[in-house]
PDB file of all heavy atoms in Angstrom:
ATOM      1  N   ILE A 251     -18.427 -93.228  22.443  1.00  0.00           N
ATOM      2  CA  ILE A 251     -17.232 -94.065  22.607  1.00  0.00           C
ATOM      3  C   ILE A 251     -16.517 -94.193  21.263  1.00  0.00           C
ATOM      4  O   ILE A 251     -15.362 -93.815  21.121  1.00  0.00           O
ATOM      5  CB  ILE A 251     -17.618 -95.448  23.155  1.00  0.00           C
ATOM      6  CG1 ILE A 251     -18.212 -95.320  24.563  1.00  0.00           C
ATOM      7  CG2 ILE A 251     -16.409 -96.384  23.162  1.00  0.00           C
ATOM      8  CD1 ILE A 251     -18.882 -96.580  25.073  1.00  0.00           C
ATOM      9  N   GLY A 252     -17.200 -94.738  20.263  1.00  0.00           N
ATOM     10  CA  GLY A 252     -16.668 -94.841  18.914  1.00  0.00           C
ATOM     11  C   GLY A 252     -15.368 -95.619  18.815  1.00  0.00           C
ATOM     12  O   GLY A 252     -14.926 -96.269  19.766  1.00  0.00           O
ATOM     13  N   THR A 253     -14.741 -95.541  17.639  1.00  0.00           N
ATOM     14  CA  THR A 253     -13.462 -96.213  17.447  1.00  0.00           C
ATOM     15  C   THR A 253     -12.409 -95.689  18.414  1.00  0.00           C
ATOM     16  O   THR A 253     -11.561 -96.446  18.895  1.00  0.00           O
ATOM     17  CB  THR A 253     -12.983 -96.058  15.991  1.00  0.00           C
ATOM     18  OG1 THR A 253     -13.720 -96.975  15.159  1.00  0.00           O
ATOM     19  CG2 THR A 253     -11.510 -96.359  15.843  1.00  0.00           C
ATOM     20  N   ALA A 254     -12.449 -94.389  18.720  1.00  0.00           N
ATOM     21  CA  ALA A 254     -11.456 -93.826  19.642  1.00  0.00           C
ATOM     22  C   ALA A 254     -11.544 -94.506  21.008  1.00  0.00           C
ATOM     23  O   ALA A 254     -10.528 -94.954  21.563  1.00  0.00           O
ATOM     24  CB  ALA A 254     -11.662 -92.324  19.776  1.00  0.00           C
ATOM     25  N   GLY A 255     -12.750 -94.605  21.552  1.00  0.00           N
ATOM     26  CA  GLY A 255     -12.908 -95.224  22.863  1.00  0.00           C
ATOM     27  C   GLY A 255     -12.682 -96.721  22.841  1.00  0.00           C
ATOM     28  O   GLY A 255     -12.116 -97.294  23.787  1.00  0.00           O
ATOM     29  N   TYR A 256     -13.122 -97.344  21.770  1.00  0.00           N
ATOM     30  CA  TYR A 256     -12.898 -98.784  21.598  1.00  0.00           C
ATOM     31  C   TYR A 256     -11.411 -99.087  21.492  1.00  0.00           C
ATOM     32  O   TYR A 256     -10.901-100.050  22.087  1.00  0.00           O
ATOM     33  CB  TYR A 256     -13.704 -99.222  20.368  1.00  0.00           C
ATOM     34  CG  TYR A 256     -13.228-100.370  19.542  1.00  0.00           C
ATOM     35  CD1 TYR A 256     -13.081-101.650  20.072  1.00  0.00           C
ATOM     36  CD2 TYR A 256     -12.975-100.192  18.185  1.00  0.00           C
ATOM     37  CE1 TYR A 256     -12.670-102.704  19.261  1.00  0.00           C
ATOM     38  CE2 TYR A 256     -12.587-101.228  17.377  1.00  0.00           C
ATOM     39  CZ  TYR A 256     -12.423-102.484  17.917  1.00  0.00           C
ATOM     40  OH  TYR A 256     -12.028-103.521  17.115  1.00  0.00           O
ATOM     41  N   THR A 257     -10.663 -98.219  20.785  1.00  0.00           N
ATOM     42  CA  THR A 257      -9.209 -98.370  20.701  1.00  0.00           C
ATOM     43  C   THR A 257      -8.560 -98.142  22.056  1.00  0.00           C
ATOM     44  O   THR A 257      -7.600 -98.841  22.426  1.00  0.00           O
ATOM     45  CB  THR A 257      -8.633 -97.392  19.663  1.00  0.00           C
ATOM     46  OG1 THR A 257      -9.265 -97.619  18.399  1.00  0.00           O
ATOM     47  CG2 THR A 257      -7.138 -97.568  19.517  1.00  0.00           C
ATOM     48  N   ALA A 258      -9.065 -97.170  22.802  1.00  0.00           N
ATOM     49  CA  ALA A 258      -8.541 -96.920  24.154  1.00  0.00           C
ATOM     50  C   ALA A 258      -8.724 -98.155  25.030  1.00  0.00           C
ATOM     51  O   ALA A 258      -7.823 -98.527  25.802  1.00  0.00           O
ATOM     52  CB  ALA A 258      -9.242 -95.720  24.771  1.00  0.00           C
ATOM     53  N   MET A 259      -9.872 -98.817  24.916  1.00  0.00           N
ATOM     54  CA  MET A 259     -10.103-100.030  25.702  1.00  0.00           C
ATOM     55  C   MET A 259      -9.177-101.150  25.247  1.00  0.00           C
ATOM     56  O   MET A 259      -8.619-101.883  26.089  1.00  0.00           O
ATOM     57  CB  MET A 259     -11.564-100.463  25.606  1.00  0.00           C
ATOM     58  CG  MET A 259     -11.889-101.751  26.389  1.00  0.00           C
ATOM     59  SD  MET A 259     -11.497-101.673  28.165  1.00  0.00           S
ATOM     60  CE  MET A 259     -12.963-100.793  28.776  1.00  0.00           C
ATOM     61  N   LEU A 260      -8.986-101.323  23.950  1.00  0.00           N
ATOM     62  CA  LEU A 260      -8.039-102.333  23.468  1.00  0.00           C
ATOM     63  C   LEU A 260      -6.644-102.074  24.030  1.00  0.00           C
ATOM     64  O   LEU A 260      -5.929-103.010  24.408  1.00  0.00           O
ATOM     65  CB  LEU A 260      -7.995-102.333  21.940  1.00  0.00           C
ATOM     66  CG  LEU A 260      -9.231-102.838  21.189  1.00  0.00           C
ATOM     67  CD1 LEU A 260      -9.029-102.666  19.685  1.00  0.00           C
ATOM     68  CD2 LEU A 260      -9.536-104.288  21.517  1.00  0.00           C
ATOM     69  N   SER A 261      -6.246-100.808  24.090  1.00  0.00           N
ATOM     70  CA  SER A 261      -4.931-100.444  24.617  1.00  0.00           C
ATOM     71  C   SER A 261      -4.847-100.749  26.115  1.00  0.00           C
ATOM     72  O   SER A 261      -3.852-101.313  26.596  1.00  0.00           O
ATOM     73  CB  SER A 261      -4.655 -98.959  24.373  1.00  0.00           C
ATOM     74  OG  SER A 261      -4.678 -98.652  22.997  1.00  0.00           O
ATOM     75  N   ALA A 262      -5.877-100.379  26.849  1.00  0.00           N
ATOM     76  CA  ALA A 262      -5.896-100.627  28.293  1.00  0.00           C
ATOM     77  C   ALA A 262      -5.887-102.122  28.595  1.00  0.00           C
ATOM     78  O   ALA A 262      -5.168-102.591  29.493  1.00  0.00           O
ATOM     79  CB  ALA A 262      -7.121 -99.958  28.916  1.00  0.00           C
ATOM     80  N   LEU A 263      -6.671-102.881  27.844  1.00  0.00           N
ATOM     81  CA  LEU A 263      -6.693-104.336  28.037  1.00  0.00           C
ATOM     82  C   LEU A 263      -5.342-104.956  27.696  1.00  0.00           C
ATOM     83  O   LEU A 263      -4.917-105.923  28.346  1.00  0.00           O
ATOM     84  CB  LEU A 263      -7.795-104.958  27.181  1.00  0.00           C
ATOM     85  CG  LEU A 263      -9.233-104.687  27.636  1.00  0.00           C
ATOM     86  CD1 LEU A 263     -10.232-105.198  26.590  1.00  0.00           C
ATOM     87  CD2 LEU A 263      -9.520-105.348  28.992  1.00  0.00           C
ATOM     88  N   ALA A 264      -4.656-104.399  26.680  1.00  0.00           N
ATOM     89  CA  ALA A 264      -3.335-104.921  26.318  1.00  0.00           C
ATOM     90  C   ALA A 264      -2.350-104.735  27.467  1.00  0.00           C
ATOM     91  O   ALA A 264      -1.528-105.629  27.739  1.00  0.00           O
ATOM     92  CB  ALA A 264      -2.826-104.232  25.060  1.00  0.00           C
TER      93      ALA A 264
END
Side-chain angles (χ1 to χ4, degrees):
I251 296 168
T253 283
Y256 151 61
T257 303
M259 179 57 81
L260 291 176
S261 300
L263 289 172

